[in-house]
Amino acid sequence: MMQDLEILDIVDESDCVIGQKKRSEIYSQGLCNFRVVNAFVVNSLGQLWIPRRSAQKRIFPLCLDVSMGGHVESGETYEDGNRSGG
């Protein structure tokens, strides 16, 4: 899969980039110090939309999820990752 070849920045506790790894390596090593973006959709009544993940998802299929989420690729800002869907 192409997404497994994505290069993501590895960050320290201050969110400073300390390296890069392939997405597949990050997940196989169980790392959690990489950048992601999330957004939540709220309607005019203040109700939060909580979608269900696809059955085809590798991690947590059919579980409840955030409205939008994605990885921030190496060299992107959080704003770039939010626009591209990571």
Side-chain angles (χ1 to χ4, degrees):
M1 297 174 97
M2 286 298 288
Q3 63 191 23
D4 289 335
L5 300 177
E6 281 181 307
I7 303 296
L8 306 178
D9 289 332
I10 304 297
V11 297
D12 65 14
E13 58 278 345
S14 299
D15 197 35
C16 295
V17 176
I18 57 172
Q20 290 81 26
K21 285 188 182 272
K22 289 182 186 174
R23 177 177 169 172
S24 58
E25 292 173 350
I26 288 170
Y27 279 94
S28 68
Q29 295 173 16
L31 300 177
C32 61
N33 57 328
F34 57 95
R35 294 173 169 170
V36 297
V37 292
N38 291 294
F40 298 89
V41 177
V42 178
N43 69 15
S44 62
L45 299 175
Q47 298 170 318
L48 178 64
W49 176 57
I50 304 174
R52 188 168 299 278
R53 291 172 65 84
S54 162
Q56 288 71 44
K57 287 292 191 178
R58 184 174 20 167
I59 300 171
F60 305 116
L62 296 176
C63 289
L64 299 177
D65 208 351
V66 296
S67 300
M68 185 291 299
H71 296 87
V72 178
E73 293 184 19
S74 181
E76 283 188 319
T77 65
Y78 285 103
E79 291 79 13
D80 293 336
N82 195 25
R83 279 192 284 276
S84 69

